[in-house]
Amino acid sequence: MRWFLTVLGVIFGIVVFLFLDYALPSKQTVRITNTYNRLTDIGANRIFYASPDTGTVQNAAGQRDVRFIDTVRPNGKPYVYRNEDTGWIWPPYFKYDSSNLHAQATDLRSTSANPEWVSVTSYGWRVAWLSVYPNAISIKPVAGPGVKPFNWPAQIILLLLGGLLFLIWRMWNQFRERTIDPAVRSADQAWDRLDARADAARDRAQGRMRRWWNGLKGR
C-alpha cells in the first residue's frame, strides 16, 4: 500500500509541476524578426489555443486566423509566439489587447545588423511537432541580450501557492491529530480487545478438548 501511495504522490507532483510550468508567466529576452497573421489548423492541439468564447473566429475547416510573433534568442535559436486574447477564460490573464500587442511587436522588429532586444512575457510551451506556441502577454524593450528581468509575477504566485499549501498542511495535521489519530487508536484498541477475547476463547476450547481427550484415554 505504501508503494502505491508513493507512486500516486509522484504522479500528482509531476502533474502539478507541468500545470504550473504551463500556466505561470515566463520571461524571455529575444529579438523580434517578424509579425504576421496565419490561418492555423486547430485540431487535437485545441487545448493549447484560446477558447472560442474570447471572440476568435474559426472556419468550417477548423482553421483559425492567429497572430504570430517570430523572434530570435541571444544564442541565435528561433522562438515563435502566438498572440491571442485570453479574455476571462483560463488562464486568467484577462488579455484583450492582442491587436495593440501586435502593433507594438511590429514596431519593435529589428535585424541582426542593428538588433533591438525586448523581454517577452508569455505563458505556455513551444512544441513544434504539435504546432503549439506560447501566448505572448506583454513586450518591453531591454538594454541588451544579457538583460533578464526578474520574473516577479511567477515568484509572487508561487509564494502565495506555497503559503496556501502550508495552511492546508497545517489544517490537515490538526484534523488528523484531533479526529483521525484518536479514531485509529480506538479502532486498534477495539481490535486488540477482540483479538484477546478470540485468544481466550481458543484457549478455553483447546482446554476442553484436552480434558475430553484425556477423559477418553482414561476409560
Side-chain angles (χ1 to χ4, degrees):
M1 184 64 177
R2 181 173 296 179
W3 69 267
F4 174 76
L5 294 177
T6 301
V7 171
L8 195 63
V10 170
I11 294 175
F12 177 76
I14 293 174
V15 170
V16 171
F17 171 79
L18 292 176
F19 171 78
L20 293 176
D21 186 59
Y22 180 85
L24 288 179
S26 63
K27 291 180 179 291
Q28 297 276 355
T29 298
V30 296
R31 177 174 59 85
I32 299 175
T33 61
N34 193 21
T35 57
Y36 57 94
N37 289 49
R38 188 182 72 204
L39 280 176
T40 305
D41 292 324
I42 307 297
N45 58 0
R46 182 183 304 274
I47 189 175
F48 298 106
Y49 284 83
S51 169
D53 296 340
T54 60
T56 58
V57 178
Q58 191 166 310
N59 61 26
Q63 294 178 319
R64 184 183 299 178
D65 191 19
V66 180
R67 297 183 179 93
F68 288 94
I69 303 173
D70 289 349
T71 70
V72 175
R73 293 176 173 177
N75 59 9
K77 293 183 178 180
Y79 199 73
V80 182
Y81 298 89
R82 62 187 167 93
N83 178 20
E84 288 189 295
D85 288 340
T86 62
W88 293 84
I89 312 300
W90 181 263
Y93 284 94
F94 313 114
K95 178 188 173 188
Y96 285 99
D97 61 345
S98 58
S99 297
N100 294 342
L101 189 66
H102 197 71
Q104 182 186 6
T106 302
D107 184 56
L108 290 170
R109 288 182 301 182
S110 64
T111 64
S112 57
N114 187 25
E116 186 171 353
W117 297 95
V118 297
S119 175
V120 179
T121 301
S122 65
Y123 73 89
W125 300 322
R126 176 69 177 106
V127 185
W129 59 277
L130 280 177
S131 297
V132 172
Y133 306 87
N135 192 11
I137 301 299
S138 66
I139 300 173
K140 292 184 178 180
V142 293
V147 178
K148 297 180 179 179
F150 189 73
N151 195 354
W152 283 107
Q155 300 303 319
I156 292 173
I157 293 172
L158 288 174
L159 184 63
L160 292 174
L161 287 175
L164 179 61
L165 289 175
F166 178 76
L167 179 62
I168 293 174
W169 177 74
R170 288 289 300 168
M171 293 173 61
W172 166 254
N173 276 346
Q174 291 180 359
F175 174 75
R176 187 189 63 188
E177 292 172 358
R178 295 176 181 176
T179 306
I180 297 178
D181 289 348
V184 170
R185 285 194 297 269
S186 178
D188 288 342
Q189 292 171 359
W191 180 259
D192 290 340
R193 290 193 296 269
L194 183 62
D195 191 48
R197 292 195 192 100
D199 289 342
R202 186 184 65 247
D203 291 341
R204 288 195 296 270
Q206 289 176 349
R208 293 193 190 99
M209 288 295 296
R210 282 195 296 269
R211 289 193 295 272
W212 176 79
W213 178 250
N214 291 333
L216 287 178
K217 290 194 297 184
R219 291 181 179 178

